[in-house]
Amino acid sequence: MARVFNFSAGPAVLPEEVLREAAAEMLDYRGTGMSVMEMSHRSRPFQEIIETAESDLRELMGIPDNYKVLFLQGGASQQFAMIPMNLMKNRVADYIITGQWAKKAWQEAQKYGKANAVASSADKTFTYIPDCSDLPISENADYVYICENNTIYGTKFHELPNTKGKPLVADVSSCFLSEPVDVSRYGMIYGGVQKNIGPAGVVIVIIRDDLITEDVLPGTPTMLQYKIHADNGSLYNTPPAYGIYICGKVFQWLKARGGLEAMKQYNEQKAKILYDFLDESKLFHGTVVKKDRSLMNVPFVTGDKELDAGFVREAEAAGFVNLKGHRTVGGMRASIYNAMPIEGVEKLVAFMAEFEKNNG
C-alpha cells in the first residue's frame, strides 16, 4: 500500500528519509550486529547517539551553555507535575490558559501551591491568544507558564508574554523546531516529541542551570527531579533509547534542510496554501483569529456536522488521513508539521476544492 498523507496531531508524520534510514539500520546499527532497540544504554554506540543528538539540537536551536538538555519519559503531561515539584519554591505560579493542555497543567499545579490563572481565552473556546503585554503577574511567582502552540485549537503565541522578570516556562510540544527560537528568553522549554520530532515516548526539557537545584518540594520522587537527570546526562535510568535515536536522525534531517530558518519559511509556505484556501472558500472556514493562527495545526469546519463527517470519510478514502477535529472543536484539523511535504497540503486543498464543488 502507498503511504498516505497523515495529518494526525500526534503521534504524527515523520520524514520518509528518516524512516528509510532507520529501517536500513534496524537489524545492524553501523556494524554493531544489533539494533539500537537491543542496545545497552551504557554502551559506547548509544553514548555517541545521545551525545550527537544533544549536540545537534543545541546547534539547531542555538541553546546557550547555561541550559541543560534532558531526554526524559512520561510525555509532556508528566511535566505538569514535575515543573511545580521542582520550580515552585514560593508555592506560587502564574498560568496563561489558552487551551486544554495549559488548563490541565494549571489544574495539576494547584496540587502543589497557588496556581493563578492570570489570563485565559476560554470565553471564546480558545480561538485566540489573550493580550499578555501587561498581566497581573504575582510578585512572588516562581514562574509564568504557557502552552506556546495549542494543538487542539490551532493558536500560537507569536509574541511571548511579558513575565515582568519571572522565568517563562513553555510547553512547545506542537511547534518544537518549526522555527527559530531565542532560548534565552525562557527559563524552561519542553515538549513531547511525538508531534514534530520523533516517536511517542520521549519528552525533551531545555532548562536554565539556575532552575536545577536540590531544593524541590518535599516528597518529590527521585525520578521526578531535574537535577538527578541533569547530573546523570539523561542516563539515570534506562532512557527511551530508540526514540532518542530517531529524534537524533530528525535533528540531522533538519540540519540538512538548512536549519530552523529554512524550516520556518517552508512551514509558512505550506500554511499559506491552506489558510488562503480557507479564507476564500464558501464552504470551509477556519476557527481561529487570523493574527493568532498556528503554522502547525489548522482547525476548520463547514458549519454542518454531517457534512464535516462526510468530508472526513471521503478524505480518508482518498488517502488524507486523521483529519477529524478534536471533539471540543469538532469539524476538521490538519496538522502540517515539519515532515508534511508541501505536496500533501497542495493535494489536500485540491481535494477540498473538489468536495466544495460537489457539495456547495
Side-chain angles (χ1 to χ4, degrees), residues 38-201:
E38 308 168 289
M39 194 177 281
S40 165
H41 61 295
R42 305 288 179 198
S43 66
R44 187 65 234 157
F46 185 75
Q47 195 70 44
E48 285 172 8
I49 287 169
I50 195 169
E51 285 172 4
T52 303
E54 178 177 338
S55 170
D56 287 341
L57 181 60
R58 284 185 175 277
E59 186 184 330
L60 279 166
M61 294 182 72
I63 299 173
D65 291 343
N66 65 321
Y67 285 73
K68 291 284 188 294
V69 174
L70 310 175
F71 295 96
L72 306 178
Q73 297 175 76
S77 295
Q78 185 159 282
Q79 294 303 308
F80 299 168
M82 200 165 171
I83 289 161
M85 283 176 169
N86 284 263
L87 305 187
M88 231 191 216
K89 317 294 186 192
N90 298 322
R91 303 278 183 134
V92 179
D94 289 349
Y95 282 70
I96 299 167
I97 315 297
T98 52
Q100 186 162 313
W101 302 114
K103 186 179 177 183
K104 285 188 173 181
W106 167 63
Q107 288 169 334
E108 190 74 7
Q110 290 171 24
K111 297 176 181 177
Y112 303 100
K114 191 179 180 196
N116 304 303
V118 292
S120 172
S121 54
D123 61 325
K124 293 183 180 171
T125 324
F126 303 120
T127 52
Y128 72 103
I129 297 292
D131 178 3
C132 297
S133 57
D134 186 21
L135 296 171
I137 302 298
S138 311
E139 205 174 306
N140 57 344
D142 292 299
Y143 58 87
V144 177
Y145 182 101
I146 62 170
C147 180
E148 193 162 322
N149 187 98
N150 297 282
T151 323
I152 293 171
Y153 301 96
T155 58
K156 167 81 161 65
F157 280 83
H158 294 294
E159 282 181 32
L160 294 178
N162 174 7
T163 65
K164 302 182 179 175
K166 305 300 182 187
L168 177 64
V169 174
D171 174 354
V172 297
S173 294
S174 52
C175 59
F176 224 156
L177 301 183
S178 62
E179 60 184 11
V181 165
D182 180 358
V183 175
S184 67
R185 296 188 65 192
Y186 304 78
M188 173 178 155
I189 302 176
Y190 79 94
V193 305
Q194 72 276 11
K195 297 173 184 292
N196 216 22
I197 303 175

Side-chain angles (χ1 to χ4, degrees), residues 178-180 259-272 295 342:
S178 62
E179 60 184 11
L260 300 192
E261 190 54 59
M263 211 65 236
K264 182 188 183 189
Q265 290 171 18
Y266 188 62
N267 287 327
E268 285 174 341
Q269 196 183 348
K270 284 189 293 185
K272 186 176 189 306
L295 293 179
I342 200 160

Side-chain angles (χ1 to χ4, degrees), residues 219-294:
T220 298
T222 304
M223 269 293 290
L224 298 186
Q225 296 180 29
Y226 293 127
K227 190 167 186 341
I228 292 290
H229 295 288
D231 288 352
N232 288 278
S234 300
L235 296 170
Y236 171 71
N237 69 318
T238 308
Y242 196 80
I244 293 167
Y245 156 76
I246 299 290
C247 291
K249 288 203 176 296
V250 172
F251 301 155
Q252 288 172 0
W253 176 80
L254 284 166
K255 283 171 67 176
R257 297 280 304 247
L260 300 192
E261 190 54 59
M263 211 65 236
K264 182 188 183 189
Q265 290 171 18
Y266 188 62
N267 287 327
E268 285 174 341
Q269 196 183 348
K270 284 189 293 185
K272 186 176 189 306
I273 293 166
L274 185 47
Y275 283 126
D276 282 356
F277 174 79
L278 289 171
D279 289 343
E280 290 165 20
S281 171
K282 290 189 170 54
L283 180 65
F284 298 100
H285 61 271
T287 59
V288 172
V289 171
K290 269 192 186 183
K291 69 179 179 62
D292 298 327
R293 283 171 166 174
S294 164

